Amino acid sequence: MPFEDKGFAKVDLHRALRKGFPEVVLGEGKSPEQTVVIAEEIYKQGGTLLITRVGQEVFDIVHQRIPEATYHPLARAITANKNRDVTLRPGISVVTAGTADLPVAEEAAVTAELMGNKVERIYDVGVAGIHRLLEYLPALQKAKVVIAVAGMEGALPSVIGGLISAPVIGVPTSTGYGASLQGITALLAMLNSCAPGVSVVNIDNGFGAGYLASLINQASSETPNI
Amino acid sequence: MPFEDKGFAKVDLHRALRKGFPEVVLGEGKSPEQTVVIAEEIYKQGGTLLITRVGQEVFDIVHQRIPEATYHPLARAITANKNRDVTLRPGISVVTAGTADLPVAEEAAVTAELMGNKVERIYDVGVAGIHRLLEYLPALQKAKVVIAVAGMEGALPSVIGGLISAPVIGVPTSTGYGASLQGITALLAMLNSCAPGVSVVNIDNGFGAGYLASLINQASSETPNI
Amino acid sequence: MPFEDKGFAKVDLHRALRKGFPEVVLGEGKSPEQTVVIAEEIYKQGGTLLITRVGQEVFDIVHQRIPEATYHPLARAITANKNRDVTLRPGISVVTAGTADLPVAEEAAVTAELMGNKVERIYDVGVAGIHRLLEYLPALQKAKVVIAVAGMEGALPSVIGGLISAPVIGVPTSTGYGASLQGITALLAMLNSCAPGVSVVNIDNGFGAGYLASLINQASSETPNI
Amino acid sequence: MPFEDKGFAKVDLHRALRKGFPEVVLGEGKSPEQTVVIAEEIYKQGGTLLITRVGQEVFDIVHQRIPEATYHPLARAITANKNRDVTLRPGISVVTAGTADLPVAEEAAVTAELMGNKVERIYDVGVAGIHRLLEYLPALQKAKVVIAVAGMEGALPSVIGGLISAPVIGVPTSTGYGASLQGITALLAMLNSCAPGVSVVNIDNGFGAGYLASLINQASSETPNI
Amino acid sequence: MPFEDKGFAKVDLHRALRKGFPEVVLGEGKSPEQTVVIAEEIYKQGGTLLITRVGQEVFDIVHQRIPEATYHPLARAITANKNRDVTLRPGISVVTAGTADLPVAEEAAVTAELMGNKVERIYDVGVAGIHRLLEYLPALQKAKVVIAVAGMEGALPSVIGGLISAPVIGVPTSTGYGASLQGITALLAMLNSCAPGVSVVNIDNGFGAGYLASLINQASSETPNI
Amino acid sequence: MPFEDKGFAKVDLHRALRKGFPEVVLGEGKSPEQTVVIAEEIYKQGGTLLITRVGQEVFDIVHQRIPEATYHPLARAITANKNRDVTLRPGISVVTAGTADLPVAEEAAVTAELMGNKVERIYDVGVAGIHRLLEYLPALQKAKVVIAVAGMEGALPSVIGGLISAPVIGVPTSTGYGASLQGITALLAMLNSCAPGVSVVNIDNGFGAGYLASLINQASSETPNI
Amino acid sequence: MPFEDKGFAKVDLHRALRKGFPEVVLGEGKSPEQTVVIAEEIYKQGGTLLITRVGQEVFDIVHQRIPEATYHPLARAITANKNRDVTLRPGISVVTAGTADLPVAEEAAVTAELMGNKVERIYDVGVAGIHRLLEYLPALQKAKVVIAVAGMEGALPSVIGGLISAPVIGVPTSTGYGASLQGITALLAMLNSCAPGVSVVNIDNGFGAGYLASLINQASSETPNI
Amino acid sequence: MPFEDKGFAKVDLHRALRKGFPEVVLGEGKSPEQTVVIAEEIYKQGGTLLITRVGQEVFDIVHQRIPEATYHPLARAITANKNRDVTLRPGISVVTAGTADLPVAEEAAVTAELMGNKVERIYDVGVAGIHRLLEYLPALQKAKVVIAVAGMEGALPSVIGGLISAPVIGVPTSTGYGASLQGITALLAMLNSCAPGVSVVNIDNGFGAGYLASLINQASSETPNI
């Protein structure tokens, strides 16, 4: 199984075969130069690129080397894709409790879209005004998988999980203050969901949720979209 | 301001004047003998007695000394009241997410009833089947104060707080397992409620919730019920 | 039940009917532009506006669109109210342990005032010099509800709760250092209050305390002040 | 949406329609009597019954009322199913790091089997002897979803997640001692998986993992198995 | 510097010279046999013996070997002293917030008495009824050092520390439940005391408080009492 | 008991009588203007001033109003004292484990000196080179009270506590990284000291340690030095 | 690489080749029957057996099947070894702070002895009486590796690490109470050791320390002792 | 045993004799001036210098005084060595899970190199693509000791520990986000390694790992390399 040794990184060229999608670059903790070197290698081999948790200044460097790359400022993600004319598969809904959860939700949505899925965004329907959520119940009941993004008390995945039969992926966010403990409270709450069918990813891990949602959504098809 | 010195305890005889209700005995951490001595002194002076967190074996001893005392096995509380013919004031609803929350809910209900309130019990209406809660919405909207008892993800106070205008007292319970952390998760979730009008008491503190609910419910009347 | 969909936010236009007060905007975690759009919608519909946790720079933008808005720098809050000639209802006291607790106390006071209450401020009466608190005991005993704001060991709600019969809302603050754990210590201490009648809101959540105090204070009246 | 009010419980008779599977009874925290009453009602309505976290003594009571019920001692679960001749759908593998993880793994397997899935069990293949896991790689690569059960450092989901393209559900267990913190360490580790496609449920929550795995596995079929 | 090697223990025979008091035996974690062997060696050499955290069954064994030993059941401590006719030095007050704090307070008192101090006990004067504490203010103001024992919110040392000029030793206790976190809350609160002159020992460490109080009380004298 | 009400602060003019030393100003969390107003009032009344946790910029403002004030940059403290010709009482040693602990140690030393004590500084004698500490053993054995300041594993108070008979005040510092948890580790370690005679103050609380050490040191004298 | 599949366990028959020592059985969390089946397989293949964390009742079953097995009650371990006439290699010292640390120390010692090392035991030399430790300094300085076992403040590895040049393996124990947090405090303290050359294993993990010490001790020899 | 007293520091001149290597300067928490004074003293005496956790600006000052000093920007360390012509001893491998772990790995490598070891660097071979690690298995099996550096779920030491017989030193890093808790998760995971032969140092403590690895690697030689 091949990989490309760059010294500071061993780019996993076999990832797309093994996992169905090339290696994704977590920008945080890497220098812009390291990020670019890894990104170029992945894109050259696989034709699909996702870099998460980077600012505009990293994009400016990446863009010089990969002109077709796009920056998603709210999601803080860079994408590039040589296979542009794929038909997107519907089935994923991304839901947030509040407006402050949008950056994480967008990271999830951008990831799922790059992986060939059509994403329905339902934002700011938290439990303080539950009629807003109930208004979207028909849409949610049609989803094959729902990503529920929430900070503070993190109740959204439980409430959605009680209403629909599809899997719900809870994404706790670090919004809130004080006893929200930078998202630990929402994380713990989601792990204790009284509604079955709910699982959880790391705090602010929109990427992980979008990736997993794509795996679940693509499972119902003969040939995956990537 | 007088108190009675029993050596191991200084019974606060002035409590009823200052607080509107006599001293309450927390049975946990006291020997049965200590509990009885304190209870007798309070009952003699004030004519109203509440002992919390005690088993049947403590009641058997108390009962010998205070024959009109009653044991509430689910709430694990002892009450006695010389002023039996008071008309109970409606306005307090006690709601639980699940069946395992009943002991805490009953401690709250017994406390509020002893303090002169009529309590409506709405049990097992957690968010995994939210239609059960919505069924009771008309009843909840009439309440002057709602006690919402929940373990696990502790979402109930937030959801109720989003639906009604009365104050909601959240009581986290130590039910659940693993990441419920013996009620810490529910406690943190309730403190981060996105719905305003919610405050929180200690884990499993049904007594504290019932007491506070009575204060709020009695506030709307000229003369308190005790 | 109506709401206004702004994409990044679904403004809850039904909140005032359901809860007796319009939706409140938590400025933290929102961009200034998002904040303004939401604020305008709420103010247009309900005539009462509260934005919390914002700086002067957000106010400058809001002010251009809502000229009658006022900025409260200590509380870091923006208010606007079309119904200016309401008579304020007395009954709420806001008490702090120290001077560093003032921003949180002011957020509580500004909230309660906007909701139609007259607020008595009693600042810097912590337990290190308890005679300062006892001096204000007559005033506290007249209150219908007391908001007790404290960091460090958070003992103030317990001490007040032992002295008066009205409900006490404890607000832990993130003042202090080291083992204060950014307010966790005060939060835990207040949750363990040995005095009944005390409940707690999130760390630094002056808004939540002010809102709840208003609910309790208005309960004793036929028609709420808003 | 109907439910049956038993006082201490409101049995959710609409669950099977909404969620595709009837309400499941968490035995822990309920008295045997409460458990039986709820179980009978569910079984009468839906013909499928799952009770988790109960001992032999509860089964003895349930068995008197539901003679076709079966007890799974390792999983500590009771099942009953009127629709016995369903063909089980393959696609779920349950993997454990060690022998001590078997009770949680069996709870997952029993749940998935009751929901109409064929389960492949691969037990005791933790990373201390990774050749054991690699031996089963062909089998794992054929799975539609993998449940990875591990305590201690909880590395198994990450390693499996790096090797296959199907979703991996991590189940941390409370095995281990000292700094395993009753499963918190495994939980945290799984949430930080460097391999994408991994999500996590509560500590020891075999039921939740089995339920979710069934949802994912059934998604690829026209008509669900239950 | 000599010590006696017993294999499982090296009894520190030099402790009395270095520290002014012989080695004290922490019974917890030792077998009764180990405890007795160590105790005999210490008592033989120094004539003063203190064993903490032991039950009646250990005392029965010790008593056979050291007939003049005394068991203090509330404190769960064994003492023996060959120098019985020492005049006790006044100056130490042991104060508790509640009745459940007595075992820890008694461990402190027994320790201080064995070290030659006269101890004034003021029990059950917690802040829920602060007039009880104020009643004893003249006594407290005469103390050279005060041991303040409290669980739950642990406010007692702060309040006493604000009222007197002598050092206050806070002893958090593991009484309480839920968010008391087995005494962690009281410990944290005491460490954040807003009143100067307060220091803290481990949860339930009555012995440590009594020992330290003796050091401080004896400091004002030419010759220590032991 | 008088105090001066400044609105944002109630200056405790009675503190010196009650506690033997005037109110001390914690600069952190107060605006420079608030700090100056409080400081002036205290200094006018008592002639002794201590402000802790302030930078040079606050001193510049204070200095304009109180020309005899001195800034201690390492301790980040301001002092002023009208009673300059007091003879300092020897007896306090301040010891640090490392160089990074000096700011906290100096806060302790400056406090104790202002309160009339002569302080011996023994810096950088941590347990990694225990011969450095043993070199100073004769000096330590002469002390009436020792302040032991340490971060990281916080072993210094235990080691000193095993060597001398005077009280040891442990001050954990927030130096270190990773699992030092900003001083929590050192705090916990000191609370578990196996050597008796040790008590602990808050992380980085040099002031509290210096204040308490002065109380203990002055106890051995007829008339306190202030 | 072969293993033996027992269903509930896959016995790693290749472990001795890969790691130089056969698989070790952690008895905790396994039924006695499971333990025996695994143990027999390992012993049959490798001739060396170590089972940790088991009581006498497990030994009684093991002994029937492996008559040459020995039970070490203090260590709660079972050993068996067909290669009895190996010369033990000196170089490992096991040191404890107190008597309560002996069970963990013995688990370490038994492990190291089984692996072919001669172990010197130096028990009860904690820092409260540091002269006891210094007495053994010449012995410690001759060791190739030292295992330092301590609970409470866990200072022992730091102090030893400052005195010798060999590696020190810290083993925190769960002895102590209150803020010892079942060994977390000692663990954190050891991780923050100011003396280089110290590393740490899990709380109470005597086996891990003994195993690692053997690896280090054997490294200095041409041919390992097993 | 001599040391040099600089007031703010007591430079341990005896360290090299006692420990085999001179005192190392932890730059963090010291002023540049303090760092330089200590460094010069150590270098003058021992001819070998290591300063950790310093930026370029500290190096600029050190360089003026010690011209032969070298700055390692990735490791943030300064080294100087008068004994340049030592033959480096092979045997240490430093392995990282990801690219973001390089700074910590380099601190370990620089330390081990300065102590006379040849270091093999194997970077970015985390478990998400385990074939990369297996590719280096022959190299790892030749190592005398392996330093495994990883953040997030920290699984690397366990996996390596299961594959080789040499000791593995786990170094958790603070890379990652959310539930990585600044390295606490990786730390806990490594402490719970199911593979024997693994021990752990503090989060980000590359120095400690490099130092310990050198001790172990040098143990197999007659004369240490320094």
Side-chain angles (χ1 to χ4, degrees), chain D residues 131-154:
Chain D
H131 64 293
R132 299 175 301 188
L133 178 65
L134 297 177
E135 180 83 13
Y136 289 90
L137 191 49
L140 289 170
Q141 284 169 331
K142 266 181 274 177
K144 292 282 169 57
V145 54
V146 173
I147 297 171
V149 185
M152 302 171 93
E153 79 272 67

Side-chain angles (χ1 to χ4, degrees), chain E residues 4-11 37-38 41 44:
Chain E
E4 178 71 23
D5 193 348
K6 299 290 185 188
F8 58 83
K10 309 215 182 323
V11 185
V37 169
I38 298 170
E41 187 68 40
K44 190 177 68 184

